[in-house]
Each structure stands twice: as C-alpha cells, then as structure tokens.
C-alpha cells in the first residue's frame, strides 16, 4: 500500500469525514472504497458500451433471446404476482 496526497476543497473534506465517521471508517478507508466503486462503475459502463457496439456490428438472430414461458426462472406464481399489481 502506498501513501498519496490529494487536494480537495474544505466542504468536500467535511462531507467525507462525516460520512466516514457514520460508517465507522477512516478518511483513507472511505476514499479507497469510493475510488473502488468509481472504477467499478467505469468498468461496467465500458463493458456495456462494448456489448452495444458488438450487437450493432453483429445483430442478434431473430430468435436468439426467445425463451419459452415455462423455461423462464420467474414464471409461475411469481410472474402472476407481478401481473396482479
């Protein structure tokens, strides 16, 4: 693990410190978690973009995603519960 130094405005630092305290964490721990979460969001967004580009380049076949009603994991009583609302 390495130590880094960053500059942030006072209001942001206060908010970070308050949230870290509520979470029972430290400023550094909160920052590490926030950076991990931000990276995960960027990676997920990039993966979604790659899927979009891929399906635009090679569109799915007409029946590629067709699933019989009885084969759906949410079929039966659960599906009926959603339809009742």
């Amino acid at each position: 693990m390495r130590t880094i130094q960053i500059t942030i405005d006072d209001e942001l630092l206060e908010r970070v410190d308050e949230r870290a305290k509520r979470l029972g964490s430290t400023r550094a721990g909160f920052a590490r978690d926030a950076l991990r979460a931000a990276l995960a969001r960027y990676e997920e967004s990039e993966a979604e973009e790659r899927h979009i580009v891929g399906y635009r380049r090679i569109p799915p076949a007409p029946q590629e995603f067709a699933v019989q009603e009885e084969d759906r994991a949410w079929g039966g009583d659960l599906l009926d519960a959603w339809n009742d609302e």
Side-chain angles (χ1 to χ4, degrees):
M1 194 172 301
R2 296 181 64 185
T3 300
I4 63 168
Q5 185 176 17
I6 63 170
T7 303
I8 61 174
D9 61 73
D10 291 336
E11 180 186 346
L12 180 57
L13 181 61
E14 285 179 29
R15 292 176 61 201
V16 167
D17 286 344
E18 288 172 9
R19 182 61 60 175
K21 184 177 180 179
R22 279 195 224 159
L23 294 171
S25 184
T26 62
R27 181 186 295 166
F30 180 85
R32 281 190 300 271
D33 290 344
L35 290 168
R36 283 185 191 107
L39 287 171
R41 282 193 310 271
Y42 283 117
E43 291 164 0
E44 182 176 335
S45 178
E46 290 169 348
E48 289 174 357
E49 185 61 30
R50 286 192 304 272
H51 280 100
I52 291 168
V53 169
Y55 277 110
R56 283 184 181 150
R57 195 176 71 240
I58 304 172
Q63 295 299 317
E64 185 171 346
F65 294 108
V67 177
Q68 296 297 321
E69 183 69 32
E70 60 271 8
D71 292 336
R72 294 182 182 169
W74 61 81
D77 295 337
L78 185 57
L79 184 60
D80 294 338
W82 280 97
N83 290 331
D84 288 343
E85 294 181 0

